[in-house]
Amino acid sequence: MTEILATVIFLFSLFFLLGSSVWVGLSLIGVAWIGIELFTSRPAGDAMITTIWTGASSWTLTALPLFIWMGEILYRTRLSEDMFKGLSPWMRWLPGGLLHTNIAGCTLFAAVSGSSAATLTTVGKMSIPELRKRGYPEYMIIGTLAGAATLGLMIPPSLTLIVYGVSINESITKLFMAGVIPGLILSLLFMLYIVFWYFYFPNERPGAEKSIGIKQMITESKFLLPILALVIIVIGSMYFGWATATEAAAVGVVGALTLAFSQGSLTWKTFSNSLMGATRTSAMIALILMGAAFLSLSMGFTGLPRALANYIDGLNLSPIVLIASLTIFYIILGMFLDGISSVVLTMAIVEPMIRQAGIDVIWFGIFVVVVVEMAQVTPPIGFNLFVLQGMTKHEISYIAKTAIPMVALMVLMVIILVIWPELATWLPDTIRQRGN
Amino acid sequence: MSDWSKFIGLPLWFWLFILPTLISLICLFLQNKIEIIFKPIWKILDKIYFFSGIIAAISMCLILLIIIAQMVTRWTGIIFEGSTEFAGYAMASTSFFALAYALSKGAHIRVSIFLNLNSFTKKWLDIFALFISSIIATFFARYAIKTNFMSEMLNDRTQGQDQIPEAIVYILEMFITSPTNWISMWSNYEGKWIFTPVWIPQLPMSIGTILLAICLWDHLSRLLITNKSEIKSDIVK
């Protein structure tokens, strides 16, 4: 009985606070505060600070600001022009032409940045005007970009995966490795969508690109080398066990600074802007994590997560049904919350549930990321929609409509992950053996 | 409510919650008549938020340096005791010092769907949200300080291998002891390295959460007086 009451009160106060536009992190603290005061005799405040302090000063979390910083530095370099220049010679041969630079550019930038918004702006800054100039249909330019930018959340380094790893105490390196193959498959799906468009709507194709020689192709793509080197160093050092996730992040920051310096785009202004920008973003995520840590403590006191896990277990759902219902749940949640918030908010409840059901937590991390990726492009609240609105001045509803096929592809990705879970679990298993 | 001891004759919750609420009510009723009093305060506070943001940024550079040092020492075989703890302290410092700065720059996220309904909700819901947030942040700050004091009183030490020079503790202790006792305090000084007392890395938590609470009350007063929110995000350019 108390459990039902607790659920109702938690849910009500959560929706009330979030709905009245109290900042997400503070809402979580507020809900947890109410929960502890009502259902336990423990002193709420002292318990809160102990939990928050342990979380906020943890070593695992240090990867977060550094990866954010790395992305911020690269975002302020000439990278977006270089990437477009370097990628377009290779993409013009594919059916669908330069639209593929949206996907390839996002995939590449996602491998050095953990944020979807940064990926979107970096790639879009260059590709939107260039693709428009060449006469590609607007809905394809916007849609593919909105969808592909979500790869920033999946391909390592990924902020969502760091946050997930910190919330459930799992190795961030393993989670990163698990994201590689599904991320590449998802970008392949996006590319297939462009190919499909090319053959299905031949009258929308723009005029053919003028061909260029192989020599020019190679000169143009030399711009890609530094960024590729950075990707290989950062991901490689984690894969081969030379560096922990945090150390790889530090290497990434140094590498990004070097790259910016060699390009001549490292001025005091870009340096301080990147640093302050990263400070703000990491504080934003840190506050949500603090709130979430306190909320899971508070819910733990009420026994709610365990009771719910037992209840779900008692229903004898097959894992497929459980995953399907969680998918729907996260999509609905994602309409109102951003990815990181919905992950930290639900982990206290969902973690015991999936462990009980015997679902691999690393696999589940990748699943969750694909699902919250959709949240980035689903209205009314979708971060990529806002960023794209700022960049293109289109209505949110129009942008969301162009992204519907990409959301469908992400749902397809969830199905693929359920059928072949090895896609996510294989790569992290190989590093585990290497470590021994 | 035994936890709320008296402070200058009145329970602590009066000073923390009721007093700022009363000030906010005054702002609501007098509006631009008192803007002249508040304007200089806002200017100073803006500088303080920015300054704490800079400290946060420096802490972030420290994380980077500590981690690089950790890697270098590992390769060269030198031992860097407690590097992970130090990185953790720098992490906490980055997060906490940046809280208020990030808020004033609109970096913290919120669900703004009802906020953007119409001009009525834009103002009144924002006021309500700021008020509730201020209360929560004040609660947060109050216990951060309490825990910080408790760690100092109980002389809690780190669980890790990190050590700091004793002098740091003495210099910081000078702020909370009266100058008349400074000489007797320093006479115990031995100049050795000690395991980090937890209250020192916890200082950023106290300062950062106080600033966050002040920042929220401050922006509430700004909204009440000027009728427009100064928390604007620059993410969407």
Side-chain angles (χ1 to χ4, degrees):
Chain A
M1 191 58 217
T2 43
E3 267 126 28
I4 296 172
L5 187 67
T7 319
V8 170
I9 288 179
F10 272 122
L11 281 180
F12 175 78
S13 41
L14 186 67
F15 286 132
F16 178 74
L17 287 177
L18 286 177
S20 42
S21 65
V22 172
W23 284 267
V24 175
L26 293 169
S27 299
L28 302 188
I29 296 180
V31 176
W33 183 13
I34 296 170
I36 282 206
E37 292 285 355
L38 287 183
F39 297 106
T40 67
S41 53
R42 293 180 192 245
D46 303 308
M48 164 177 79
I49 297 297
T50 318
T51 323
I52 287 182
W53 171 252
T54 320
S57 63
S58 84
W59 153 253
T60 352
L61 200 55
T62 50
L64 186 76
L66 295 184
F67 275 126
I68 297 175
W69 191 13
M70 173 184 170
E72 286 272 346
I73 297 166
L74 292 174
Y75 167 66
R76 288 180 164 78
T77 56
R78 278 196 295 113
L79 199 70
S80 51
E81 294 143 61
D82 287 358
M83 241 168 25
F84 193 84
K85 257 190 241 157
L87 283 172
S88 51
W90 301 95
M91 299 299 154
R92 69 180 74 212
W93 306 106
L94 297 172
L98 291 185
L99 274 178
H100 289 288
T101 51
N102 264 350
I103 317 286
C106 286
T107 312
L108 195 56
F109 194 76
V112 286
S113 160
S115 128
S116 173
T119 308
L120 181 57
T121 14
T122 312
V123 178
K125 201 153 63 174
M126 204 56 203
S127 75
I128 293 176
E130 290 288 332
L131 292 177
R132 272 183 184 161
K133 209 160 62 190
R134 290 172 166 79
Y136 286 93
E138 185 77 5
Y139 78 96
M140 283 303 286
I141 304 177
I142 308 286
T144 53
L145 188 59
T150 61
L151 289 168
L153 299 180
M154 175 103 122
I155 294 179
S158 150
L159 301 187
T160 318
L161 282 177
I162 298 180
V163 166
Y164 175 80
V166 169
S167 326
I168 66 160
N169 266 322
E170 275 295 332
S171 152
I172 288 169
T173 310
K174 264 191 226 163
L175 282 166
F176 276 2
M177 290 310 138
V180 174
I181 296 175
L184 291 177
I185 291 177
L186 192 54
S187 67
L188 192 70
L189 286 179
F190 290 154
M191 286 186 146
L192 286 176
Y193 167 67
I194 296 177
V195 173
F196 166 81
W197 162 82
Y198 181 79
F199 288 115
Y200 207 76
F201 299 102
N203 51 334
E204 287 182 7
R205 293 178 201 167
E209 294 291 329
K210 58 175 189 292
S211 59
I212 53 166
I214 190 91
K215 203 170 153 208
Q216 200 185 344
M217 244 166 106
I218 289 165
T219 19
E220 298 256 300
S221 51
K222 73 166 189 281
F223 294 113
L224 287 178
L225 288 180
I227 191 86
L228 277 175
L230 197 57
V231 172
I232 290 166
I233 291 171
V234 171
I235 299 183
S237 64
M238 279 188 284
Y239 181 75
F240 292 108
W242 296 328
T244 60
T246 306
E247 288 167 345
V251 172
V253 171
V254 175
L257 284 172
T258 321
L259 201 148
F261 181 76
S262 62
Q263 274 189 351
S265 54
L266 186 72
T267 57
W268 171 248
K269 191 165 167 268
T270 52
F271 176 78
S272 60
N273 279 349
S274 71
L275 187 58
M276 296 311 273
T279 311
R280 286 198 293 270
T281 311
S282 90
M284 180 270 281
I285 298 176
L287 184 62
I288 299 174
L289 282 174
M290 288 174 201
F294 182 34
L295 184 62
S296 35
L297 177 84
S298 163
M299 286 203 288
F301 280 159
T302 63
L304 192 63
R306 218 170 336 108
L308 201 63
N310 286 335
Y311 171 74
I312 300 277
D313 198 39
L315 287 180
N316 274 323
L317 297 176
S318 70
I320 306 252
V321 178
L322 183 63
I323 289 296
S325 27
L326 280 173
T327 308
I328 295 164
F329 169 71
Y330 275 110
I331 290 177
I332 295 172
L333 199 64
M335 290 180 178
F336 304 96
L337 279 175
D338 70 291
I340 287 175
S341 308
S342 28
V343 169
V344 293
L345 186 64
T346 51
M347 265 317 125
I349 293 281
V350 172
E351 192 200 344
M353 214 187 279
I354 53 167
R355 284 193 197 268
Q356 188 95 308
I359 296 170
D360 186 282
V361 282
I362 300 285
W363 178 88
F364 190 78
I366 303 307
F367 159 77
V368 148
V369 168
V370 182
V371 186
V372 300
E373 268 183 21
M374 294 178 213
Q376 300 278 333
V377 285
T378 46
I381 308 286
F383 210 73
N384 286 7
L385 300 179
F386 296 150
V387 178
L388 266 174
Q389 187 191 29
M391 285 171 78
T392 63
K393 307 286 176 253
H394 282 299
E395 286 290 320
I396 294 264
S397 53
Y398 172 79
I399 302 170
K401 223 183 289 167
T402 64
I404 290 175
M406 316 306 271
V407 175
L409 288 175
M410 289 181 224
V411 175
L412 179 64
M413 186 68 217
V414 171
I415 297 171
I416 292 176
L417 270 176
V418 171
I419 301 176
W420 294 287
E422 302 81 18
L423 292 175
T425 51
W426 175 76
L427 199 58
D429 280 342
T430 62
I431 49 161
R432 214 174 309 171
Q433 286 151 4
R434 214 174 276 267
N436 290 340
Chain B
M1 281 288 170
S2 57
D3 209 17
W4 303 89
S5 52
K6 289 205 168 187
F7 181 74
I8 330 184
L10 286 165
L12 196 54
W13 52 261
F14 173 84
W15 298 105
L16 290 181
F17 299 115
I18 309 290
L19 185 69
T21 310
L22 291 177
I23 296 177
S24 306
L25 283 175
I26 295 173
C27 293
L28 174 63
F29 289 114
L30 293 179
Q31 291 220 316
N32 44 17
K33 285 188 200 97
I34 48 168
E35 193 173 348
I36 206 142
I37 311 171
F38 276 84
K39 258 214 166 121
I41 305 178
W42 293 341
K43 258 191 192 146
I44 297 167
L45 284 175
D46 275 339
K47 286 204 180 100
I48 294 176
Y49 304 145
F50 183 66
F51 183 67
S52 86
I54 293 194
I55 299 178
I58 294 169
S59 308
M60 183 147 50
C61 297
L62 271 179
I63 302 180
L64 180 66
L65 294 179
I66 292 168
I67 289 165
I68 292 173
Q70 185 192 36
M71 282 192 283
V72 172
T73 48
R74 199 175 60 204
W75 295 329
T76 51
I78 309 165
I79 298 162
F80 179 9
E81 289 272 27
S83 59
T84 52
E85 274 78 18
F86 285 123
Y89 300 152
M91 176 69 218
S93 169
T94 308
S95 312
F96 284 110
F97 272 118
L99 285 180
Y101 167 68
L103 183 84
S104 65
K105 293 284 175 197
H108 289 302
I109 46 171
R110 64 204 290 199
V111 180
S112 49
I113 176 165
F114 297 111
L115 204 61
N116 293 331
L117 274 185
N118 52 44
S119 58
F120 177 81
T121 58
K122 187 142 204 136
K123 183 184 169 192
W124 290 100
L125 194 63
D126 205 7
I127 290 176
F128 180 75
L130 269 168
F131 178 67
I132 299 284
S133 304
S134 307
I135 300 260
I136 296 171
T138 311
F139 166 79
F140 188 8
R142 186 238 180 266
Y143 280 96
I145 302 163
K146 186 186 167 197
T147 308
N148 205 165
F149 269 108
M150 292 298 273
S151 316
E152 198 266 346
M153 244 167 56
L154 304 170
N155 200 12
D156 257 356
R157 295 303 173 93
T158 165
Q159 310 272 317
Q161 294 301 310
D162 48 313
Q163 298 192 341
I164 54 167
E166 206 182 3
I168 297 178
V169 183
Y170 276 79
I171 293 167
L172 288 171
E173 289 270 8
M174 282 167 75
F175 288 100
I176 49 171
T177 40
S178 94
T180 48
N181 295 332
W182 283 0
I183 293 169
S184 64
M185 194 184 91
W186 277 94
S187 61
N188 295 324
Y189 179 68
E190 291 168 35
K192 55 181 191 212
W193 286 63
I194 52 167
F195 286 105
T196 319
V198 177
W199 66 271
I200 292 180
Q202 276 179 349
L203 281 177
M205 175 169 71
S206 298
I207 301 169
T209 48
I210 296 172
L211 280 177
L212 179 68
I214 293 178
C215 187
L216 282 160
W217 287 112
D218 168 34
H219 279 279
L220 178 60
S221 80
R222 292 183 202 209
L223 178 60
L224 289 169
I225 290 175
T226 63
N227 283 330
K228 51 176 188 273
S229 174
E230 279 194 38
I231 302 177
K232 282 193 201 83
S233 154
D234 52 8
I235 299 167
V236 181
K237 274 165 207 149

